[in-house]
Amino acid sequence: MVISAKRKELRFAGKEIAQKRSKSGFMIAAQMFVIVFLLAVMVFLPFYFGNEADKMNERAKQKEQSLSVMLSRVEDMTREISYLQTVLGARSSVRAE
C-alpha cells in the first residue's frame, strides 16, 4: 500500500507574502508609535502635574500669609477698641463725679 499526496499549486504566493509583510510592517509602525507616545506621556506628564502642584502650593502659602495678616490686624483693632473703651470709661467716670 502506497500513500501519495497531491501537492497544491502555489499561485500568487508572492502577493500573499507581500501583503503579510506589509500588514506586519503596519503593525510594527503602530506599535512603535504607541511606544513613543507612551514614553512621551510618561516623561512630560509628571512635569505638568509637578508644575500644577507647585502653583497650588504657592496659592495656599499666599492665602495662609494673607490670613495671618488679617488676624494680626484684627488683634490690633481689638487692642485699640479696648484701649478706647478704657479711655472713654475713665472719662465718663470722671464726668460722673
Side-chain angles (χ1 to χ4, degrees):
M1 180 187 242
V2 176
I3 298 176
S4 62
K6 291 185 180 179
R7 290 190 180 195
K8 217 177 194 181
E9 286 186 30
L10 294 176
R11 291 188 195 174
F12 307 109
K15 286 185 180 180
E16 291 173 3
I17 292 172
Q19 287 175 351
K20 286 181 183 178
R21 284 185 183 165
S22 67
K23 287 180 185 177
S24 65
F26 173 73
M27 288 303 290
I28 290 173
Q31 289 172 352
M32 291 301 290
F33 174 75
V34 168
I35 290 170
V36 169
F37 179 73
L38 290 176
L39 284 174
V41 166
M42 286 172 35
V43 168
F44 291 112
L45 214 56
F47 287 121
Y48 174 76
F49 283 115
N51 290 341
E52 289 298 315
D54 290 342
K55 289 177 188 176
M56 291 173 65
N57 234 352
E58 188 63 32
R59 283 189 214 132
K61 286 180 183 177
Q62 288 175 353
K63 285 183 181 181
E64 185 179 341
Q65 288 173 353
S66 66
L67 183 63
S68 65
V69 168
M70 284 183 185
L71 287 175
S72 67
R73 287 182 183 171
V74 167
E75 289 174 359
D76 291 345
M77 289 177 66
T78 304
R79 278 192 226 110
E80 288 181 27
I81 289 171
S82 64
Y83 171 74
L84 290 174
Q85 287 175 341
T86 304
V87 169
L88 290 176
R91 284 188 185 171
S92 64
S93 66
V94 171
R95 287 188 186 168
E97 293 177 356

